[in-house]
Amino acid sequence: YNGYQIVLAINAITFCARTLLYRSYRQEVGVLVIMIHKMVTDLIIFMEVFFFISLGFSLAFHGLYQGQEGAPEGRRFLKGADTDDTPSPTNMFSTDSPFMLPF
């Protein structure tokens, strides 16, 4: 994207928000503006809590993963991504299948 497109997009959002505030003098629209404002504040509080909980779990799993040895070469993503020994549909759920790596 070009710089002017980004500025135009931000200006469009702020223009709509300002127009909504300008139209809030009417009773029907004013109640909706107040409701949207309260919803946004609740959403911000939820996102803060969600961020810190996600950060905590991310750090915990990172700490648990530190003691693990690295995955063998060729089994990091899917077996067969860099080799020719792709599993057949009959043994897809066998113990050496790449789909059983998390288990």
Side-chain angles (χ1 to χ4, degrees):
Y1 295 106
N2 294 330
Y4 74 91
Q5 290 174 324
I6 295 171
V7 171
L8 184 63
I10 293 171
N11 282 338
I13 293 170
T14 57
F15 174 75
C16 290
R18 295 282 184 185
T19 304
L20 193 62
L21 289 175
Y22 174 72
R23 297 278 300 163
S24 67
Y25 70 91
R26 295 189 58 191
Q27 185 177 2
E28 299 87 17
V29 180
V31 174
L32 295 175
V33 170
I34 292 170
M35 184 180 64
I36 289 172
H37 178 70
K38 289 186 178 189
M39 286 170 49
V40 167
T41 55
D42 288 342
L43 183 65
I44 289 172
I45 292 170
F46 171 76
M47 291 304 291
E48 288 176 0
V49 171
F50 181 73
F51 172 75
F52 285 114
I53 289 174
S54 297
L55 180 68
F57 273 97
S58 298
L59 292 175
F61 283 124
H62 180 71
L64 288 172
Y65 186 69
Q66 287 294 325
Q68 303 293 323
E69 63 185 43
E73 195 66 36
R75 291 191 62 133
R76 287 199 178 128
F77 299 105
L78 282 178
K79 185 176 181 182
D82 56 350
T83 60
D84 290 334
D85 52 342
T86 57
S88 66
T90 57
N91 67 352
M92 186 177 294
F93 297 106
S94 66
T95 56
D96 60 341
S97 173
F99 296 108
M100 298 303 283
L101 280 177
F103 305 105

